[in-house]
Amino acid sequence: QGVTVLPSPTSTAEELRTGHMGQAGRLPGPRRKRRGPSSWLQGTPWTGLARAGTLAAVFNVAAGVYSDPCEDYSGSRTDFVNHTLFTEVLRENVRPGTIAGVDAMLVDYANIRKDASKLTAYQLQLCDVDLDSLSLAARVALLCNAYNAIMIAIIVGYDPDESVVELSSRIPEGGIWTALLGTVAGRKVSLDDLEHVMIRGGLSREADVQGLVHAGVVCGSLSCPDIQTEAFEADTLRSQLIAATRRWLGNPTKNPGPRDGALVVSKIFDWYAGDFVSSAGSVVEYARMYSTWQLEDNMPVRYEPYNWALNSINSTGAWSGCPRGGLSLSLAALVILSLRS
């Protein structure tokens, strides 16, 4: 989420600022001819299959190895994705903790790596889903889940030492944010595609969750909004995102709140200010809507340094490219530019 502070190849600087990009939830151009999930997996009771360990021998993941599971399976398009399987992955592997002074929901990537069958089975449902058949809320829920699942799979596969940002130098296809590492709805997609084109590109506004979606897309770092312990669902999407936003703003280690006459919040409110202004009129008003803070209308806004260290239960909270206290936006931009070049 916050990592992509620079325009991606698919987004202009103005588009990133405002979040107005293309048709809602769709990538430009024709669908790519590709293979989807295997027909023998279609209609399978996913939870029982994964729990029984049927997939374990196929989908175990070795550290330092990542592949898109959709590349190896063929099947037909589907208009149904069971998000319960992803909820199981999250509930089994996410728990609260404090690292480097940051209170966060931490992920046990090592445990997922031992048996990635449920995560892989969930990804296979995304391979050839028919997004056009889904409601706006169902589309947003699916794309937020897809981003988080693919991010987790990337970390599980590549096994970064300290931060997801370091992976940009190890991915031959491009940077961590721009490489086409996942597949959704029959298309190879990057994390940038999912967040900035398919979610923020008009869809979040149409679904009336612009701004709120930033609490639902997690970039695998300590200062990101917390990964939730349940997948997003169409029927409860808005309430889930509001609850996630309230928890995020209510965490003083990520959003300190009013301090010395100013509002101090996550750097995400700086990087994507346009989304919050479009949603509420100003960053201050947005914070007032979803927090218990008493805020003055025109109070200045300051931004908390960002910690890009991995949101892993085994994280040290330090990254050699990013000191414990985080780094400024200008320094972050230089780091990301160097990694993307």
Side-chain angles (χ1 to χ4, degrees):
Q1 145 138 354
V3 172
T4 343
V5 298
L6 305 173
S8 77
T10 55
S11 309
T12 67
E14 177 66 12
E15 288 170 340
L16 281 178
R17 186 185 68 80
T18 62
H20 298 167
M21 294 164 286
Q23 298 182 15
R26 298 176 180 86
L27 285 172
R31 284 170 48 85
R32 298 186 180 195
K33 180 67 175 177
R34 57 155 305 281
R35 294 174 291 176
S38 165
S39 58
W40 67 267
L41 287 174
Q42 297 297 324
T44 302
W46 297 91
T47 302
L49 179 63
R51 185 178 292 120
T54 305
L55 298 176
V58 181
F59 300 129
N60 280 345
V61 177
V65 177
Y66 171 81
S67 63
D68 178 0
C70 295
E71 293 294 327
D72 297 322
Y73 291 87
S74 60
S76 58
R77 301 197 74 188
T78 178
D79 59 0
F80 174 76
V81 172
N82 183 357
H83 299 301
T84 303
L85 192 61
F86 190 42
T87 291
E88 290 192 19
V89 173
L90 296 172
R91 288 181 176 172
E92 292 170 3
N93 296 285
V94 175
R95 58 180 181 266
T98 302
I99 293 179
V102 179
D103 297 333
M105 297 299 287
L106 305 174
V107 182
D108 192 343
Y109 295 107
N111 189 56
I112 300 174
R113 190 174 297 115
K114 293 176 183 176
D115 179 4
S117 58
K118 290 183 181 179
L119 179 60
T120 302
Y122 179 72
Q123 287 182 267
L124 288 171
Q125 295 185 86
L126 307 175
C127 299
D128 223 14
V129 63
D130 184 1
L131 288 177
D132 292 336
S133 70
L134 304 180
S135 67
L136 288 175
R139 207 179 305 165
V140 174
L142 183 146
L143 293 172
C144 287
N145 291 335
Y147 184 102
N148 294 335
I150 292 171
M151 173 61 82
I152 290 173
I154 290 170
I155 295 172
V156 166
Y158 280 111
D159 192 21
D161 293 328
E162 298 175 333
S163 170
V164 294
V165 178
E166 72 191 58
L167 295 181
S168 289
S169 63
R170 295 168 50 187
I171 298 174
E173 299 86 357
I176 176 69
W177 315 109
T178 58
L180 303 178
L181 297 176
T183 301
V184 176
R187 300 174 185 272
K188 293 292 295 182
V189 294
S190 68
L191 294 170
D192 267 3
D193 290 333
L194 286 167
E195 181 182 9
H196 299 305
V197 180
M198 300 178 77
I199 299 174
R200 294 182 60 234
L203 177 61
S204 63
R205 185 177 67 256
E206 290 185 32
D208 194 28
V209 290
Q210 188 177 24
L212 291 172
V213 292
H214 289 283
V217 180
V218 182
C219 65
S221 304
L222 283 179
S223 285
C224 294
D226 282 330
I227 189 80
Q228 305 302 300
T229 55
E230 60 182 9
F232 294 104
E233 299 280 358
D235 292 344
T236 54
L237 173 68
R238 184 171 175 82
S239 62
Q240 285 179 295
L241 287 174
I242 289 174
T245 298
R246 292 189 185 281
R247 285 191 290 269
W248 179 37
L249 287 173
N251 183 345
T253 67
K254 297 188 180 188
N255 289 281
R259 178 190 293 171
D260 300 327
L263 172 62
V264 184
V265 288
S266 166
K267 198 71 175 171
I268 290 171
F269 287 95
D270 184 19
W271 294 330
Y272 304 110
D275 288 358
F276 304 107
V277 171
S278 295
S279 176
S282 69
V283 168
V284 170
E285 183 58 30
Y286 186 90
R288 181 186 285 125
M289 289 172 61
Y290 298 109
S291 74
T292 58
W293 299 325
Q294 300 299 311
L295 305 175
E296 300 292 334
D297 288 341
N298 297 314
M299 68 190 310
V301 180
R302 298 202 307 266
Y303 304 100
E304 187 76 352
Y306 213 80
N307 190 331
W308 293 109
L310 204 61
N311 64 342
S312 167
I313 61 168
N314 298 315
S315 175
T316 64
W319 171 44
S320 57
C322 169
R324 284 178 182 263
L327 72 170
S328 68
L329 178 59
S330 57
L331 178 56
L334 291 173
V335 171
I336 304 299
L337 274 174
S338 65
L339 290 175
R340 287 185 172 181
S341 61

